[in-house]
Amino acid sequence: MKKIAIACAGLVFVASQADLAAAKTLEEVLKEKGVISEADYNEILRSNSGSSSLNYKLGNGFTFTTNDDRFRLSIDGMIQVRYDFVDLDDVNNSAAKSAQDVSKFQIKRAKMNIHGHAITKDLTYLLVLAPSNMSGGTTPTNSILDDVFVNYRLLNELQFTGGQFKTQFGREWLISSRHLQFVDQNHVTSAFIPSYDTGVRVHGVVAGGMFTYSLEGIGGAGYNTVRASRDNAFAARLTYNPFGSMKNTQSDWELSEKPLLSLGSSYYFNTIHKGETTNQNFVKNSGWFGMNTGVQKFTTGEAIEFNMFAGDAAFKWQGLSINGEYMFGEADGASSRYKQRAQGFYGQAGYFILPKQLELAYRYAYLDPNRDVVNDHWVENTVGVNWYFAGHNVKLQADYTSIHKQAAIASTSGAKPTDDNQARI
């Protein structure tokens, strides 16, 4: 009887909705008019001929789904086209000033995401291909794989992940680059974060999003790298969201109706031998351990234990957003007995002066890569402006940064401090 009623109602609407029906199916028209329920609509879809459907949504890309919804595959991606100009202080360089300044266009990031579920909605997967990814420096990385993992949800509170993924340390590092408030992450985050890594993760969402946790056992060498030693790494993260879950973005584009607060803490442990090849960011030249402020005091080949801690907070309400983190790192040499300690923090705030369109933001970031070395601080002040055409899916960002480096890290000779200026769009 239900199908007969649906058919009769359909005849009535076909006459008055001829133009609309040319663009929409009969089932869609009936559902929009309230003649059939969502359940009726889904039942008709399942009974239709064919075994799958294809649709598109901005932000989610193209999605291929079987009618029984046991298998789903979505393809989307991002492109960040960027211009950078850096006015370098020539105090430590005898070359002409014009030879030092940087003016460059680049595809900073270009990524394709393939994700979905298989057999059951509880078994999901993600594959991120990054053929152009300069996030680690001025030249593209050699590998095109970022995330590649499968996740099984036994309960919301108990999930298991295996593969390569972002090490859960800090807040800004875990936010997608498409959801950042400034053109790129700040130098403190870049100096402390580990990398993508391969291993297993146990994680979950507790009490409807009030708490989240993550425990990881990972290789420790970084993305797409297998280490020769028997050492591995461990990471843990816990967040507390007293007023409910918060989207993992920096700006409050959604104009949250009620105040939202998120507090997080992270811990990371790894053993790396000096000279060992890894893709961990904190040991690179831009990382707190690799900035030539104490690393030379460790013995080549010795095992160095790294312990890093981070505390972070984020607040959103009616277009206002506030984010901040404090990070601490310690490296202990097994044979040299030398210890290097580092710390850094940043705070930033943004506000939509035109709701969901125009946002202004400011950030202060401070880094001390070695607390036992004097004159090695790195301070940045950044102002930014963002115009959102379609939320975070399509936006134009610009920022200006004043960069101050004290003498010990301003140049290889450590002659004098520098004050550089950077503009990005």
Side-chain angles (χ1 to χ4, degrees):
M1 294 297 295
K2 183 185 290 185
K3 291 186 177 180
I4 294 176
I6 292 173
C8 292
L11 292 176
V12 173
F13 280 100
V14 164
S16 61
Q17 303 289 335
D19 293 337
L20 183 60
K24 299 182 178 180
T25 64
L26 175 61
E27 295 84 0
E28 291 174 327
V29 175
L30 296 176
K31 185 180 72 168
E32 290 181 359
K33 296 298 182 180
V35 178
I36 63 175
S37 66
E38 183 74 24
D40 294 331
Y41 174 75
N42 292 331
E43 181 181 351
I44 294 171
L45 286 183
R46 286 192 294 269
S47 63
N48 284 342
S49 60
S51 60
S52 61
S53 63
L54 180 66
N55 59 68
Y56 172 81
K57 182 179 180 180
L58 183 64
N60 294 333
F62 292 94
T63 300
F64 174 86
T65 310
T66 58
N67 281 341
D68 59 9
D69 205 19
R70 295 183 65 202
F71 296 88
R72 175 173 296 181
L73 184 149
S74 297
I75 299 177
D76 64 76
M78 67 164 292
I79 298 176
Q80 187 188 52
V81 183
R82 193 163 118 186
Y83 172 75
D84 290 25
F85 177 79
V86 183
D87 178 16
L88 293 172
D89 195 335
D90 61 352
V91 66
N92 291 322
N93 196 323
S94 59
K97 183 174 176 57
S98 60
Q100 301 179 61
D101 294 343
V102 176
S103 177
K104 62 183 178 182
F105 293 90
Q106 61 180 313
I107 305 298
K108 180 68 175 182
R109 296 175 179 90
K111 299 185 179 184
M112 176 181 290
N113 308 316
I114 302 172
H115 54 98
H117 64 255
I119 304 176
T120 170
K121 291 183 179 180
D122 295 322
L123 182 62
T124 57
Y125 59 89
L126 173 64
L127 171 63
V128 179
L129 304 176
S132 180
N133 187 352
M134 295 184 178
S135 57
T138 57
T139 57
T141 56
N142 294 326
S143 176
I144 66 170
L145 284 178
D146 280 356
D147 290 282
V148 50
F149 62 79
V150 293
N151 184 86
Y152 180 71
R153 181 183 62 185
L154 183 62
L155 302 167
N156 286 337
E157 296 82 0
L158 185 59
Q159 303 182 46
F160 305 91
T161 303
Q164 179 170 281
F165 40 76
K166 277 187 176 183
T167 302
Q168 301 289 294
F169 183 83
R171 180 176 294 270
E172 186 176 53
W173 162 240
L174 300 178
I175 296 176
S176 169
S177 54
R178 72 179 74 186
H179 294 147
L180 295 177
Q181 196 164 47
F182 293 89
V183 174
D184 217 330
Q185 63 189 21
N186 69 86
H187 71 287
V188 176
T189 296
S190 299
F192 276 90
I193 58 174
S195 177
Y196 292 85
D197 218 326
T198 304
V200 293
R201 175 195 301 161
V202 179
H203 62 107
V205 179
V206 182
M210 182 173 290
F211 296 94
T212 68
Y213 74 92
S214 174
L215 301 172
E216 297 177 351
I218 45 183
Y223 61 89
N224 307 306
T225 304
V226 178
R227 65 197 317 177
S229 69
R230 64 180 182 180
D231 298 303
N232 295 127
F234 171 79
R237 178 164 172 80
L238 175 68
T239 65
Y240 172 52
N241 311 300
F243 307 131
S245 61
M246 177 190 295
K247 286 191 174 181
N248 201 25
T249 60
Q250 288 187 332
S251 303
D252 187 28
W253 181 84
E254 294 80 11
L255 306 179
S256 304
E257 294 183 0
K258 65 177 183 179
L260 295 175
L261 175 66
S262 181
L263 305 174
S265 60
S266 305
Y267 170 70
Y268 177 85
F269 172 81
N270 198 356
T271 300
I272 300 177
H273 295 259
K274 184 179 179 181
E276 178 182 359
T277 300
T278 73
N279 277 320
Q280 300 294 1
N281 291 283
F282 60 87
V283 301
K284 296 179 179 178
N285 290 337
S286 58
W288 66 266
F289 180 74
M291 288 187 180
N292 300 316
T293 59
V295 64
Q296 67 275 7
K297 296 185 179 180
F298 291 94
T299 305
T300 300
E302 79 167 309
I304 304 172
E305 287 190 355
F306 289 88
N307 287 275
M308 296 196 299
F309 304 87
D312 58 81
F315 175 82
K316 295 181 180 181
W317 188 35
Q318 297 184 352
L320 171 67
S321 60
I322 302 174
N323 297 270
E325 294 189 64
Y326 171 80
M327 297 182 175
F328 174 83
E330 186 174 87
D332 294 316
S335 57
S336 67
R337 312 309 299 173
Y338 180 74
K339 178 182 294 186
Q340 180 178 339
R341 299 172 301 157
Q343 66 177 354
F345 65 88
Y346 74 89
Q348 65 187 61
Y351 183 72
F352 279 88
I353 59 175
L354 293 179
K356 295 194 173 186
Q357 286 189 311
L358 181 60
E359 179 189 33
L360 301 181
Y362 168 76
R363 179 173 69 197
Y364 175 85
Y366 165 90
L367 174 66
D368 181 359
N370 192 332
R371 297 178 62 182
D372 297 319
V373 172
V374 297
N375 295 323
D376 67 338
H377 298 172
W378 179 349
V379 177
E380 292 190 358
N381 286 273
T382 304
V383 293
V385 57
N386 305 317
W387 184 269
Y388 295 78
F389 297 94
H392 290 286
N393 295 311
V394 185
K395 62 182 178 179
L396 179 66
Q397 297 181 281
D399 60 32
Y400 165 79
T401 304
S402 171
I403 306 171
H404 175 73
K405 293 182 181 180
Q406 291 187 334
I409 60 170
S411 69
T412 55
S413 61
K416 296 179 181 179
T418 58
D419 290 285
D420 302 327
N421 297 282
Q422 173 183 263
R424 303 178 297 189
I425 185 169

